[in-house]
Amino acid sequence: MFKRGFEQRMSTQNQEMRLVEHLGELRRRLIWVAVIFIVAFIGGFAYAEPVVRYFKKDAGIQWHVFGIADGLRVYMQFSFVIALVITLPFILYHLWRFISPGLRPHERKAAGIFIAPAFLLFVTGLAVGYYLVFPMIIMFMIKFSKTLGVVETFGLAQYFGFMFNIVIPLALLFELPIIVMFLTRLRILNPMRMKKMRGYSYLALVIVASLISPPDFVSHLSVFLPLVILYEISVLISRFVYRKQLKEDAAWQQEFYGEKEEDAVLHVDRE
């Protein structure tokens, strides 16, 4: 009895030590990410002016400043976005290194290969949001203003604040295929479950589109349609990964049970 109590106390102490080690590792990785973000933010602030001038030339409209701090606010916004783009690969890498000890070898490998695609999808989301969705919303807003016969005056901070409120959330939502692929690889998600959840998922996408876009039907639709396309692409990706898993399981069943390949696939399907 004394031995059992001693073993339980030792087990509790070991768990507490492992928890402290994990928290210490998490703190170190957060510090590294924070340092990289701060350095990138400072660099982004230094290069914000040519970026703003590019967007000004691309927009082709005249901007006005309505507040003393509007110019500084725009610099800070662009510095934040530049720092976020630069820091994102490091965030994904440190996240992978933090969770990888608790994953199986194939799960660790699956998580590691998603870093580059996740970064590319985020950048693609920024591009789609700025070059496709945002111009459609702006054109609709301008036409709506012209019907009222008002003079269009664009505030610098208001323009970019409006743009970032649409582009940044849309870029984050472009990570959906990677998340679905990762969860499917971990066997948490599968295409059948996504098909059953399609109605609820579309409802969630409608709510998200209404939150990140202006309060009008055209803006909601401009954001909702890309999200629907992303969801359907995610279903296809989940189906591809799931079929690959079935083949891998069938090959294992064939080797372990000595079944024929088609019988092994049926065996896996039943499970």
Side-chain angles (χ1 to χ4, degrees):
M1 186 174 181
F2 174 78
K3 181 179 180 181
R4 183 181 301 174
F6 177 76
E7 290 177 351
Q8 290 178 351
R9 287 195 298 271
M10 290 297 296
S11 177
T12 303
Q13 291 178 358
N14 290 334
Q15 291 178 358
E16 292 177 353
M17 290 178 61
R18 285 197 295 269
L19 178 61
V20 171
E21 290 176 358
H22 286 313
L23 292 177
E25 182 184 1
L26 178 61
R27 183 181 63 180
R28 289 193 298 271
R29 297 195 180 280
L30 289 176
I31 290 174
W32 270 108
V33 170
V35 170
I36 294 171
F37 181 84
I38 292 173
V39 173
F41 186 87
I42 295 173
F45 193 87
Y47 287 96
E49 181 181 355
V51 177
V52 174
R53 290 187 180 276
Y54 167 79
F55 279 94
K56 180 180 179 181
K57 182 180 178 181
D58 187 62
I61 58 178
Q62 186 67 35
W63 288 327
H64 300 271
V65 176
F66 301 128
I68 297 177
D70 283 355
L72 178 61
R73 187 184 308 169
V74 171
Y75 266 76
M76 300 290 285
Q77 288 174 336
F78 273 95
S79 301
F80 175 82
V81 175
I82 293 173
L84 180 62
V85 173
I86 295 175
T87 312
L88 183 60
F90 297 95
I91 295 175
L92 296 173
Y93 171 75
H94 283 286
L95 178 63
W96 172 69
R97 288 297 302 271
F98 179 72
I99 66 174
S100 59
L103 300 177
R104 297 182 181 129
H106 70 279
E107 295 174 345
R108 191 180 302 118
K109 181 180 179 182
I113 63 177
F114 293 150
I115 295 177
F119 175 72
L120 293 177
L121 277 176
F122 181 79
V123 175
T124 302
L126 290 176
V128 170
Y130 176 72
Y131 289 106
L132 183 62
V133 177
F134 181 64
M136 293 174 60
I137 296 176
I138 288 294
M139 288 176 60
F140 173 77
M141 294 297 182
I142 291 176
K143 290 181 179 179
F144 189 76
S145 299
K146 286 182 178 179
T147 59
L148 299 176
V150 297
V151 178
E152 299 169 358
T153 303
F154 296 93
L156 179 68
Q158 289 74 19
Y159 179 88
F160 283 119
F162 181 72
M163 182 186 75
F164 288 133
N165 287 338
I166 295 174
V167 173
I168 298 298
L170 191 61
L172 293 174
L173 289 171
F174 259 67
E175 301 295 325
L176 180 61
I178 292 295
I179 296 174
V180 169
M181 184 184 297
F182 181 66
L183 294 178
T184 305
R185 189 66 182 174
L186 296 182
R187 301 177 186 271
I188 298 174
L189 203 60
N190 58 59
M192 293 77 71
R193 188 171 299 173
M194 293 189 68
K195 288 181 179 179
K196 291 180 180 179
M197 296 168 50
R198 181 177 275 120
Y200 298 103
S201 301
Y202 279 12
L203 178 60
L205 294 180
V206 169
I207 296 174
V208 171
S210 63
L211 291 175
I212 67 175
S213 62
D216 62 87
F217 176 75
V218 174
S219 300
H220 293 341
L221 191 63
S222 300
V223 177
F224 175 69
L225 289 179
L227 296 183
V228 170
I229 295 173
L230 275 176
Y231 184 83
E232 295 302 327
I233 291 175
S234 300
V235 173
L236 294 176
I237 291 175
S238 179
R239 183 182 303 170
F240 172 78
V241 175
Y242 184 72
R243 287 180 176 177
K244 185 176 180 181
Q245 287 178 334
L246 287 180
K247 291 181 179 179
E248 293 174 353
D249 292 343
W252 182 84
Q253 294 284 350
Q254 182 182 5
E255 180 180 357
F256 186 79
Y257 292 108
E259 298 175 339
K260 295 181 180 180
E261 185 174 355
E262 55 271 15
D263 295 335
V265 173
L266 291 175
H267 187 85
V268 173
D269 289 338
R270 288 195 298 269
E271 291 184 351

